[in-house]
Amino acid sequence: MARTVVVTGSTSGIGLGIARAFAAEGANLVINGFGPADEIEANRAALEAHGGKAIYHSADMTKPAEIADLIATAEQTFGAVDVLINNAGIQHVSPVEEFPIDKWDQIIAINLTSSFHTIRAAVPGMKARKAGRIINVASAHALVASPYKSAYVAAKHGILGLTKSVALELAEFGVTINAICPGYVLTPLVEKQIPDTAKARGISEEQVKTDVMLRLQATKEFVAIDEVAATAIFLASDAARQITGTSIAIDGGWTAQ
Ligand code: NAD
């Protein structure tokens, strides 16, 4: 039977890439995120090309009731959530003393707290079925820091703590939970922070790419969305059943330094 996969923040970038990878395996998908309605519908429809069904849910990851409804809708539509991918995320780049308070709250809500809400809603079904996979898209910034990203780094470090704690709770229920820690991937999230980083550091936008983003990425290459998606597919496979409570860095050697 086709598995059901919920991917938060999957109208763009890494989340959409992960949704496409699971769809290619015939999974049913629940996609989520913001964007133009016609674009979302085109992406949703394309996810059905391999035999699975795909629905879109508009839950705002800052709103606990909407997040609960996302998981409930997935369960009602497809009978279960087999794989939960917590991927929605935003970024804001600013010195800490100028960091807007509302941006801090929003980043913690979307990049950290929303995963608590999806997990608490999906876990009862997973425990009852004694099966489930939870994958948190964290970041190399869950392992190391960069300046001007205090909220993002705090949220991403937090998600690793959540991953470890929940792994211990679920270990005897056939449910695994892990984090993927990508380095820089050229998605809209990264493109958007280039001008602000250039401003904060007083350098050109090209220098942001070469001297900031790829400086520590030892391969000197951006990570590809497909490479992150392939790791999610592996973590959701039977071969990964003893992998839980850990993180996999896909960062071109960044955090080896
Ligand atoms: P992106 O901007 O392309 O996609 C972000 C997705 O989250 C979009 O679908 C957006 O609509 C959704 N989203 C934003 N706010 C939301 C909200 N309130 N409610 C619901 N959905 C919301 O970014 P991306 O680069 O694909 O990022 C995806 C994840 O990967 C994030 O958690 C990010 O921190 C992480 N990540 C990205 C990189 C990178 O270099 N791009 C590196 C490491 C980790």
Side-chain angles (χ1 to χ4, degrees):
M1 216 180 78
R3 287 193 298 182
T4 297
V5 184
V6 175
V7 189
T8 70
S10 43
T11 53
S12 163
I14 293 170
L16 182 56
I18 291 174
R20 285 176 176 152
F22 278 98
E25 302 208 323
N28 297 321
L29 263 303
V30 181
I31 59 164
N32 156 261
F34 301 147
D38 53 345
E39 206 176 281
I40 291 172
E41 173 50 24
N43 283 327
R44 186 209 61 75
L47 291 172
E48 296 190 328
H50 305 275
K53 290 255 158 267
I55 62 167
Y56 166 71
H57 191 290
S58 63
D60 180 336
M61 289 296 122
T62 64
K63 307 229 165 86
E66 293 185 18
I67 300 172
D69 190 64
L70 165 72
I71 300 299
T73 301
E75 289 176 336
Q76 281 153 21
T77 308
F78 295 116
V81 173
D82 300 300
V83 182
L84 167 64
I85 316 267
N86 291 309
N87 168 80
I90 59 163
Q91 175 62 285
H92 185 80
V93 180
S94 166
V96 68
E97 69 276 24
E98 291 165 21
F99 212 94
I101 293 169
D102 62 332
K103 277 286 169 207
W104 171 278
D105 289 341
Q106 206 187 359
I107 289 174
I108 299 298
I110 298 170
N111 296 17
L112 175 59
T113 310
S114 74
S115 299
F116 158 70
H117 290 295
T118 55
I119 290 168
R120 78 185 288 279
V123 156
M126 290 181 172
K127 268 174 121 170
R129 289 186 300 279
K130 288 206 170 284
R133 291 286 196 266
I134 303 171
I135 298 163
N136 298 320
V137 179
S139 168
H141 282 123
L143 303 166
V144 294
S146 297
Y148 313 120
K149 295 185 176 178
S150 52
Y152 187 88
V153 170
K156 293 294 184 181
H157 274 63
I159 205 86
L160 283 199
L162 178 68
T163 302
K164 290 180 194 174
S165 187
V166 175
L168 298 179
E169 290 182 39
L170 301 180
E172 292 182 59
F173 291 91
V175 182
T176 70
I177 171 167
N178 293 288
I180 298 178
C181 297
Y184 282 98
V185 188
L186 263 190
T187 66
L189 178 142
V190 164
E191 307 264 12
K192 270 184 259 168
Q193 64 188 277
I194 292 174
D196 287 346
T197 305
K199 199 169 136 221
R201 291 178 181 256
I203 56 177
S204 75
E205 296 193 9
E206 196 46 43
Q207 282 173 310
V208 172
K209 282 192 188 173
T210 54
D211 299 357
V212 179
M213 295 178 166
L214 297 182
R215 185 175 67 90
L216 293 173
Q217 221 148 287
T219 55
K220 302 295 172 202
E221 289 176 17
F222 284 95
V223 177
I225 290 174
D226 287 355
E227 292 159 358
V228 181
T231 304
I233 294 281
F234 166 65
L235 286 172
S237 73
D238 284 344
R241 53 192 285 277
Q242 292 299 330
I243 302 178
T244 195
T246 194
S247 57
I248 298 184
I250 314 176
D251 63 6
W254 171 357
T255 56
Q257 298 167 69

